[in-house]
Amino acid sequence: MENLALFFLFILLLLSAFLLPSSSHQYNALFNFGDSMSDTGNVRIGRLPYGMTFFGRATGRCSDGRLVIDFIAQDLGFPLLPPSNERESNFSKGANFAWVAATVLGFDFFNERGLSKGLWVNASIYIQVDRFEKLLPSICGSTQGACSVSFILQLDVHSELAP
């Protein structure tokens, strides 16, 4: 398991060397995948203290302030990413697909092994990517290849996301 964590750290460092913002990079949108460490409201937690430090009101986040993805978005010149399940949102500048308690492996993996009792959200990384792929045509247009996608990979190797 340690080797796997080191492998992911190596991949993250390698990708960041090529994807760090510079004057030669221009991004049109930012999309985030993950768990509670970067969920901006897909799982609504509607009471204080969640949100009181930065926003001054309950925000639906598992944080009382901004998240790492918020700082990344602002540094790249984007607004704070709306949760992907937020209705009536404009996702042309990006969306956040992260969900509290998301896993890397699908729900079936845990269910087949009798480990699904504590899982209350079926939002694995596979589900998140599937939702992203379904959203793309509405952002890029219906023609295939109408937009190119560059990824900035942020891995939170902990908790449910860790293999």
Side-chain angles (χ1 to χ4, degrees):
M1 192 174 298
E2 259 183 49
N3 290 339
L4 189 58
L6 289 174
F7 172 75
F8 282 123
L9 181 60
F10 172 76
I11 295 297
L12 177 63
L13 292 173
L14 183 66
L15 287 173
S16 67
F18 295 103
L19 297 174
L20 287 175
S22 72
S23 59
S24 65
H25 288 110
Q26 181 180 356
Y27 303 102
N28 296 323
L30 178 65
F31 299 94
N32 183 65
F33 308 92
D35 65 358
S36 59
M37 299 297 285
S38 60
D39 182 353
T40 59
N42 280 315
V43 175
R44 303 295 291 175
I45 299 174
R47 62 184 190 281
L48 293 176
Y50 303 107
M52 71 181 197
T53 301
F54 181 76
F55 299 98
R57 58 179 168 72
T59 59
R61 298 163 172 238
C62 287
S63 169
D64 68 347
R66 291 181 289 176
L67 304 168
V68 171
I69 191 62
D70 296 327
F71 291 100
I72 293 172
Q74 288 176 325
D75 190 50
L76 293 173
F78 292 106
L80 299 179
L81 297 179
S84 61
N85 71 344
E86 190 172 276
R87 299 193 196 312
E88 307 301 321
S89 281
N90 179 352
F91 298 119
S92 63
K93 294 294 182 186
N96 192 326
F97 291 88
W99 283 74
V100 170
T103 59
V104 170
L105 301 171
F107 184 79
D108 290 341
F109 172 85
F110 297 99
N111 196 35
E112 290 167 2
R113 289 161 179 78
L115 302 172
S116 61
K117 183 179 179 186
L119 294 176
W120 52 276
V121 172
N122 185 14
S124 70
I125 194 70
Y126 299 107
I127 300 285
Q128 293 175 34
V129 170
D130 183 59
R131 290 176 181 156
F132 169 69
E133 289 175 340
K134 289 177 181 171
L135 179 68
L136 268 180
S138 69
I139 295 170
C140 301
S142 58
T143 56
Q144 193 74 306
C147 68
S148 63
V149 178
S150 298
F151 288 97
I152 296 176
L153 180 62
Q154 174 192 343
L155 290 176
D156 298 321
V157 181
H158 75 284
S159 167
E160 296 86 5
L161 277 178

